[in-house]
PDB file of all heavy atoms in Angstrom:
ATOM      1  N   MET A   1     237.542  75.432  51.969  1.00  0.00           N
ATOM      2  CA  MET A   1     236.365  74.792  51.784  1.00  0.00           C
ATOM      3  C   MET A   1     236.448  73.909  50.509  1.00  0.00           C
ATOM      4  O   MET A   1     237.119  74.109  49.640  1.00  0.00           O
ATOM      5  CB  MET A   1     235.172  75.722  51.661  1.00  0.00           C
ATOM      6  CG  MET A   1     234.881  76.517  52.862  1.00  0.00           C
ATOM      7  SD  MET A   1     233.962  75.395  54.100  1.00  0.00           S
ATOM      8  CE  MET A   1     233.869  76.545  55.427  1.00  0.00           C
ATOM      9  N   GLY A   2     235.572  72.946  50.573  1.00  0.00           N
ATOM     10  CA  GLY A   2     235.524  71.866  49.397  1.00  0.00           C
ATOM     11  C   GLY A   2     234.714  72.538  48.256  1.00  0.00           C
ATOM     12  O   GLY A   2     234.269  73.695  48.344  1.00  0.00           O
ATOM     13  N   ALA A   3     234.471  71.695  47.292  1.00  0.00           N
ATOM     14  CA  ALA A   3     233.843  72.151  46.093  1.00  0.00           C
ATOM     15  C   ALA A   3     232.370  72.046  46.220  1.00  0.00           C
ATOM     16  O   ALA A   3     231.820  71.222  46.921  1.00  0.00           O
ATOM     17  CB  ALA A   3     234.334  71.335  44.895  1.00  0.00           C
ATOM     18  N   ASN A   4     231.619  72.943  45.497  1.00  0.00           N
ATOM     19  CA  ASN A   4     230.187  72.956  45.456  1.00  0.00           C
ATOM     20  C   ASN A   4     229.792  71.870  44.445  1.00  0.00           C
ATOM     21  O   ASN A   4     230.589  71.671  43.499  1.00  0.00           O
ATOM     22  CB  ASN A   4     229.589  74.288  44.993  1.00  0.00           C
ATOM     23  CG  ASN A   4     229.475  75.285  46.174  1.00  0.00           C
ATOM     24  OD1 ASN A   4     229.418  74.816  47.306  1.00  0.00           O
ATOM     25  ND2 ASN A   4     229.425  76.516  45.792  1.00  0.00           N
ATOM     26  N   ASN A   5     228.659  71.328  44.501  1.00  0.00           N
ATOM     27  CA  ASN A   5     228.127  70.502  43.484  1.00  0.00           C
ATOM     28  C   ASN A   5     226.668  70.849  43.271  1.00  0.00           C
ATOM     29  O   ASN A   5     226.108  71.774  43.962  1.00  0.00           O
ATOM     30  CB  ASN A   5     228.272  69.033  43.797  1.00  0.00           C
ATOM     31  CG  ASN A   5     227.427  68.554  44.975  1.00  0.00           C
ATOM     32  OD1 ASN A   5     226.240  69.040  45.090  1.00  0.00           O
ATOM     33  ND2 ASN A   5     227.935  67.610  45.719  1.00  0.00           N
ATOM     34  N   SER A   6     226.037  70.386  42.183  1.00  0.00           N
ATOM     35  CA  SER A   6     224.726  70.863  41.865  1.00  0.00           C
ATOM     36  C   SER A   6     223.616  70.388  42.738  1.00  0.00           C
ATOM     37  O   SER A   6     222.521  70.963  42.608  1.00  0.00           O
ATOM     38  CB  SER A   6     224.462  70.408  40.408  1.00  0.00           C
ATOM     39  OG  SER A   6     224.447  68.894  40.386  1.00  0.00           O
ATOM     40  N   SER A   7     223.891  69.611  43.742  1.00  0.00           N
ATOM     41  CA  SER A   7     222.883  69.113  44.602  1.00  0.00           C
ATOM     42  C   SER A   7     222.622  70.084  45.764  1.00  0.00           C
ATOM     43  O   SER A   7     221.696  69.926  46.519  1.00  0.00           O
ATOM     44  CB  SER A   7     223.278  67.761  45.330  1.00  0.00           C
ATOM     45  OG  SER A   7     224.331  67.928  46.129  1.00  0.00           O
ATOM     46  N   GLY A   8     223.435  71.133  45.909  1.00  0.00           N
ATOM     47  CA  GLY A   8     223.188  72.090  46.974  1.00  0.00           C
ATOM     48  C   GLY A   8     223.962  71.819  48.205  1.00  0.00           C
ATOM     49  O   GLY A   8     223.725  72.364  49.147  1.00  0.00           O
ATOM     50  N   TRP A   9     224.862  70.824  48.064  1.00  0.00           N
ATOM     51  CA  TRP A   9     225.657  70.456  49.320  1.00  0.00           C
ATOM     52  C   TRP A   9     227.096  70.783  49.024  1.00  0.00           C
ATOM     53  O   TRP A   9     227.675  70.650  47.873  1.00  0.00           O
ATOM     54  CB  TRP A   9     225.456  68.963  49.644  1.00  0.00           C
ATOM     55  CG  TRP A   9     224.102  68.716  50.172  1.00  0.00           C
ATOM     56  CD1 TRP A   9     223.043  68.182  49.415  1.00  0.00           C
ATOM     57  CD2 TRP A   9     223.576  68.942  51.482  1.00  0.00           C
ATOM     58  NE1 TRP A   9     221.931  68.088  50.183  1.00  0.00           N
ATOM     59  CE2 TRP A   9     222.270  68.542  51.487  1.00  0.00           C
ATOM     60  CE3 TRP A   9     224.222  69.424  52.607  1.00  0.00           C
ATOM     61  CZ2 TRP A   9     221.446  68.555  52.602  1.00  0.00           C
ATOM     62  CZ3 TRP A   9     223.350  69.452  53.743  1.00  0.00           C
ATOM     63  CH2 TRP A   9     222.041  69.030  53.713  1.00  0.00           C
ATOM     64  N   GLN A  10     227.807  71.069  50.068  1.00  0.00           N
ATOM     65  CA  GLN A  10     229.213  71.351  49.964  1.00  0.00           C
ATOM     66  C   GLN A  10     230.011  70.578  50.995  1.00  0.00           C
ATOM     67  O   GLN A  10     229.555  70.551  52.155  1.00  0.00           O
ATOM     68  CB  GLN A  10     229.463  72.884  50.172  1.00  0.00           C
ATOM     69  CG  GLN A  10     230.914  73.258  50.250  1.00  0.00           C
ATOM     70  CD  GLN A  10     231.050  74.804  50.391  1.00  0.00           C
ATOM     71  OE1 GLN A  10     230.228  75.506  49.997  1.00  0.00           O
ATOM     72  NE2 GLN A  10     232.083  75.231  51.003  1.00  0.00           N
ATOM     73  N   GLN A  11     231.058  69.913  50.665  1.00  0.00           N
ATOM     74  CA  GLN A  11     231.831  69.212  51.621  1.00  0.00           C
ATOM     75  C   GLN A  11     232.997  70.140  52.224  1.00  0.00           C
ATOM     76  O   GLN A  11     233.733  70.718  51.430  1.00  0.00           O
ATOM     77  CB  GLN A  11     232.431  67.976  50.995  1.00  0.00           C
ATOM     78  CG  GLN A  11     233.085  67.098  52.034  1.00  0.00           C
ATOM     79  CD  GLN A  11     233.376  65.673  51.580  1.00  0.00           C
ATOM     80  OE1 GLN A  11     233.076  65.372  50.399  1.00  0.00           O
ATOM     81  NE2 GLN A  11     234.006  64.913  52.406  1.00  0.00           N
ATOM     82  N   THR A  12     233.080  70.287  53.548  1.00  0.00           N
ATOM     83  CA  THR A  12     234.042  71.168  54.093  1.00  0.00           C
ATOM     84  C   THR A  12     235.329  70.314  54.379  1.00  0.00           C
ATOM     85  O   THR A  12     235.388  69.158  54.180  1.00  0.00           O
ATOM     86  CB  THR A  12     233.516  71.725  55.483  1.00  0.00           C
ATOM     87  OG1 THR A  12     233.265  70.580  56.313  1.00  0.00           O
ATOM     88  CG2 THR A  12     232.202  72.480  55.235  1.00  0.00           C
ATOM     89  N   ASN A  13     236.269  70.986  54.836  1.00  0.00           N
ATOM     90  CA  ASN A  13     237.591  70.408  55.085  1.00  0.00           C
ATOM     91  C   ASN A  13     237.500  69.374  56.131  1.00  0.00           C
ATOM     92  O   ASN A  13     238.337  68.417  56.144  1.00  0.00           O
ATOM     93  CB  ASN A  13     238.634  71.458  55.463  1.00  0.00           C
ATOM     94  CG  ASN A  13     239.005  72.320  54.253  1.00  0.00           C
ATOM     95  OD1 ASN A  13     238.685  71.995  53.109  1.00  0.00           O
ATOM     96  ND2 ASN A  13     239.483  73.564  54.505  1.00  0.00           N
ATOM     97  N   ASN A  14     236.627  69.458  57.084  1.00  0.00           N
ATOM     98  CA  ASN A  14     236.498  68.473  58.140  1.00  0.00           C
ATOM     99  C   ASN A  14     235.467  67.356  57.796  1.00  0.00           C
ATOM    100  O   ASN A  14     234.958  66.725  58.662  1.00  0.00           O
ATOM    101  CB  ASN A  14     236.174  69.104  59.515  1.00  0.00           C
ATOM    102  CG  ASN A  14     234.880  69.879  59.515  1.00  0.00           C
ATOM    103  OD1 ASN A  14     234.156  69.915  58.424  1.00  0.00           O
ATOM    104  ND2 ASN A  14     234.514  70.454  60.563  1.00  0.00           N
TER     105      ASN A  14
END
Side-chain angles (χ1 to χ4, degrees):
M1 292 284 176
N4 278 336
N5 65 36
S6 62
S7 70
W9 291 97
Q10 174 179 331
Q11 187 163 359
T12 64
N13 292 339
N14 61 359

